[in-house]
Amino acid sequence: MLENPDTLFMKAALLEAEKAFAEDEVPVGAVVVSRNRIIARAHNQTERLRDATAHAEMLALTAAEETLGSKILETCTLYVTLEPCVMCAGACFWTRIGRVVVAAADAKVGFLRFGTGLLHPRTEYYQGVEAEAAADLLRTYFQAKRN
Amino acid sequence: MLENPDTLFMKAALLEAEKAFAEDEVPVGAVVVSRNRIIARAHNQTERLRDATAHAEMLALTAAEETLGSKILETCTLYVTLEPCVMCAGACFWTRIGRVVVAAADAKVGFLRFGTGLLHPRTEYYQGVEAEAAADLLRTYFQAKRN
């Protein structure tokens, strides 16, 4: 049986999160998909770039804009392993991305504390795909940091 | 008589906004100040970079991080000619910038629609410095676009 495309693409985002983990970055990964094809992959690089804005989503959205030669990503889906923060939700707004699919929730700094009004009204939002795998990776990372 | 430093630095941000205007970009400018010195200047470049996230604030904050070699801008002030959007408020949050000083309000897409909770609790926020000059420039830009 064919795997659900959302699960498949989220697994690609999880591979990105694992790269972040290997580089001692908070393990969050993202991919942008257009017409069933991954056009951008990125993982959190805030430590390496010494840039607090270098979240997986920001890097993936910017790379997708570059690939398409367009500021607008209406036909695209962003897959990200952790609920976006306010900044990244705002970036989704400006690109008018068609869909945002998220793995794990982020009750502490996720944008949903302020409601889905932060996204563009046309953006579909869905959370919970491969949530456990994404949360496990984050838990392992932060547990190791505490020891 | 010496000019108020906030007015002085906002005028530098306005010069950046004028550069954006000259480049046919939405005229918003920003500077970041550390210890009374401008360490980063930027203007909106969304059209030129074909990047919906290339707002003046994002570019100025990233440049300031680069200059200081630090993700954290606690000792800095961001001067920006227009009330930041949600994305830029989120970027301010992550850099924990000390102060944000704004010229004109942005009732339509400004972050204040969602409250100051989008900023870091330690960030001071002040709006209204050189507001008229900033708003005039934006008005002129959008009027020309409509004609």
Side-chain angles (χ1 to χ4, degrees), chain A residues 23 29 31 50 53 71 91 95 110 115 118 124 127 141 146:
Chain A
E23 293 168 13
V31 301
R50 279 194 201 159
T53 73
K71 293 188 304 173
T95 61
L118 267 62
E124 280 178 46
Q127 194 164 300
Y141 175 82
R146 273 195 295 274

Side-chain angles (χ1 to χ4, degrees), chain A residues 47 50-52 65 71 85, chain B residues 47 51-52 65 69 71 85 94:
Chain A
E47 296 304 326
R50 279 194 201 159
D51 177 3
E65 289 173 310
K71 293 188 304 173
C85 72
Chain B
E47 296 305 326
D51 176 3
E65 290 172 309
K71 292 189 306 173
C85 71
W94 288 114

Side-chain angles (χ1 to χ4, degrees), chain B residues 8-139:
Chain B
L8 200 72
F9 290 129
M10 190 58 83
K11 282 182 176 170
L14 277 165
L15 282 179
E16 286 298 314
E18 282 165 17
K19 282 187 206 166
F21 187 94
E23 294 169 11
D24 207 18
E25 301 271 3
V26 174
V28 179
V31 301
V32 175
V33 170
S34 171
R35 302 176 202 287
N36 233 27
R37 202 169 59 84
I38 294 176
I39 60 165
R41 302 169 194 263
H43 55 276
N44 177 34
Q45 295 202 57
T46 50
E47 296 305 326
R48 192 163 81 89
L49 300 179
R50 278 195 200 159
D51 176 3
T53 73
H55 287 192
E57 301 95 312
M58 297 301 288
L59 301 174
L61 291 170
T62 310
E65 290 172 309
E66 179 77 26
T67 304
L68 297 182
S70 167
K71 292 189 306 173
I72 302 302
L73 303 175
E74 278 170 324
T75 61
C76 299
T77 300
L78 171 71
Y79 292 86
V80 55
T81 60
L82 184 64
E83 182 187 324
C85 71
V86 163
M87 172 183 71
C88 294
C92 288
F93 171 86
W94 288 114
T95 62
R96 296 188 221 155
I97 194 147
R99 286 176 81 216
V100 176
V101 179
V102 170
D106 186 347
K108 209 175 149 202
V109 291
F111 81 100
L112 285 175
R113 291 169 299 148
F114 300 100
T116 51
L118 267 62
L119 297 174
H120 194 275
R122 287 210 190 148
T123 299
E124 280 178 46
Y125 186 80
Y126 187 69
Q127 195 164 299
V129 177
E130 295 291 303
E132 241 174 278
D136 278 353
L137 192 63
L138 283 156
R139 211 175 294 122

Side-chain angles (χ1 to χ4, degrees), chain A residues 10 18 20 28 30 45 49 66 69 74 79 87 93 107 116 118 130 137:
Chain A
M10 190 59 82
E18 281 165 19
V28 180
Q45 295 202 57
L49 301 178
E66 180 76 27
E74 279 170 323
Y79 292 87
M87 172 182 70
F93 171 86
T116 51
L118 267 62
E130 295 291 305
L137 192 62

